[in-house]
Amino acid sequence: MAVSFKMCVSFGLFVGLMMLGLVSSAKFDELFQPGWAMDHFIYEGELLKLKLDNYSGAGFASKSKYLFGKVTMQIKLVEGDSAGTVTAYYMSSDGPNHNEFDFEFLGNTTGEPYLVQTNVYVNGVGNREQRMNLWFDPTKDFHSYSILWNQRQVVFLVDETPIRVHTNMEHKGIPFPKDQAMGVYSSIWNADDWATQGGLVKTDWSHAPFIATYKGFEIDACECPVSVAANEIAEKCRSSGEKRFWWDEPTMSELSVHQSHQLVWVRANHLVYDYCTDTARFPVMPVECEHHRH
């Protein structure tokens, strides 16, 4: 049974005052491919389910890589006792000096809130974790989780509400991910050595299988075919002349006033951990934390 998802690949051609793009639909296996444990994939109409049991988890990857744009998945997380499990959704390039943007949904015991951990790797260096709870139960319905990436910022969004911004501060000598194309990935796996209450609560396999459900994948980004040389990728995906990508427009270079207010609200009410304030791990504040407004 095939699962159909929508992929929007913006060619970003600017004609007059109109931004044009190519919208295409394709079957799941035309856009993505199982990464491991194909027998733990369940297809139900438009829904894709990944299963975790005491034999294996499961994961998939996009067939293409992208440089700048926006990626969205609608996910309904594991219901009930999900302690010890992690559902991951992320973008990543390849190699030891890779760049990566992570959503990791950390399971919990029944009645306790899911935690959402985000992380940013630049040139192979991560350790930029933030954790927060959500203002809804992510196991009861589908919610959209998005990563917006351009040359000025990386924005993590939940139902279009920004929950984290990683700003380009190259002018301060801080590296920013802008020259490595990234694939799109998701997986469910057992991480009971750390995921729930620091590993104190283990996975209860009597509640298996644990199911994460997906639909509505959207990719609106600059596609980078394998045939494009690494040194040509940045040029291919940069706006110039009549070639204009929507994510390079001035309005996308920073959050709007409304979005900034949303981010302040999220951090004030839902943030439970920020690496920038963890003096035990970082006696000297990481340099990007000194300059980030959020």
Side-chain angles (χ1 to χ4, degrees):
M1 184 182 299
V3 180
S4 295
F5 294 115
K6 179 177 73 174
M7 181 177 77
C8 310
V9 180
S10 173
F11 288 163
L13 298 178
F14 192 76
V15 179
L17 296 176
M18 183 177 294
M19 194 80 66
L20 300 179
L22 175 66
V23 178
S24 63
S25 298
K27 296 178 180 180
F28 173 78
D29 59 5
E30 292 176 344
L31 296 176
F32 300 92
Q33 56 192 2
W36 44 292
M38 291 182 65
D39 59 345
H40 283 54
F41 283 65
I42 303 168
Y43 303 102
E44 294 182 358
E46 68 170 353
L47 304 182
L48 168 65
K49 297 183 176 183
L50 296 188
K51 179 174 69 172
L52 167 66
D53 56 27
N54 57 348
Y55 296 101
S56 180
F60 62 86
S62 61
K63 290 185 174 181
S64 293
K65 289 183 166 57
Y66 307 89
L67 186 69
F68 307 132
K70 186 178 181 182
V71 177
T72 298
M73 292 185 185
Q74 294 181 40
I75 308 174
K76 183 165 67 172
L77 296 172
V78 177
E79 292 191 67
D81 184 358
S82 58
T85 71
V86 172
T87 304
Y89 153 45
Y90 58 103
M91 298 184 69
S92 181
S93 58
D94 300 325
N97 297 317
H98 74 294
N99 299 326
E100 185 174 330
F101 312 138
D102 294 341
F103 274 103
E104 291 181 308
F105 304 96
L106 312 183
N108 216 330
T109 54
T110 301
E112 295 298 317
Y114 250 91
L115 289 180
V116 180
Q117 175 170 286
T118 58
N119 201 356
V120 176
Y121 285 74
V122 184
N123 296 333
V125 179
N127 297 321
R128 297 181 175 91
E129 298 91 347
Q130 292 183 1
R131 290 185 179 184
M132 60 184 56
N133 53 47
L134 294 167
W135 49 97
F136 54 83
D137 184 344
T139 73
K140 298 303 183 186
D141 205 351
F142 289 93
H143 293 270
S144 67
Y145 303 92
S146 305
I147 299 169
L148 169 66
W149 173 32
N150 59 32
Q151 297 187 61
R152 299 292 298 274
Q153 60 181 354
V154 180
V155 185
F156 295 79
L157 303 111
V158 176
D159 290 338
E160 294 302 308
T161 296
I163 65 168
R164 179 176 185 171
V165 177
H166 185 82
T167 305
N168 186 335
M169 292 185 289
E170 289 180 299
H171 64 288
K172 299 286 187 179
I174 301 169
F176 183 80
K178 66 174 187 179
D179 57 3
Q180 298 182 39
M182 292 187 173
V184 184
Y185 305 86
S186 190
S187 59
I188 184 170
W189 46 290
N190 179 47
D192 65 5
D193 57 332
W194 66 270
T196 306
Q197 299 180 33
L200 294 177
V201 181
K202 302 300 183 182
T203 303
D204 184 346
W205 294 110
S206 69
H207 294 148
F210 303 99
I211 304 289
T213 309
Y214 301 77
K215 69 175 183 178
F217 285 50
E218 297 179 11
I219 300 176
D220 191 349
C222 182
E223 185 175 9
C224 300
V226 176
S227 59
V228 177
N231 61 351
E232 298 175 356
I233 289 176
E235 184 62 32
K236 177 183 184 297
C237 296
R238 180 182 297 116
S239 293
S240 60
E242 293 185 348
K243 183 183 70 175
R244 299 294 301 174
F245 294 107
W246 65 265
W247 53 82
D248 285 335
E249 293 303 293
T251 54
M252 305 304 297
S253 65
E254 61 183 3
L255 298 185
S256 68
V257 172
H258 176 63
Q259 289 175 319
S260 295
H261 291 164
Q262 288 179 313
L263 181 60
V264 169
W265 176 83
V266 168
R267 291 181 61 86
N269 293 279
H270 296 279
L271 186 68
V272 298
Y273 174 82
D274 186 352
Y275 77 104
C276 285
T277 59
D278 190 340
T279 55
R281 287 180 68 196
F282 303 102
V284 177
M285 180 181 288
V287 64
E288 69 266 19
C289 299
E290 300 174 9
H291 302 290
H292 262 130
R293 292 177 299 165
H294 305 298

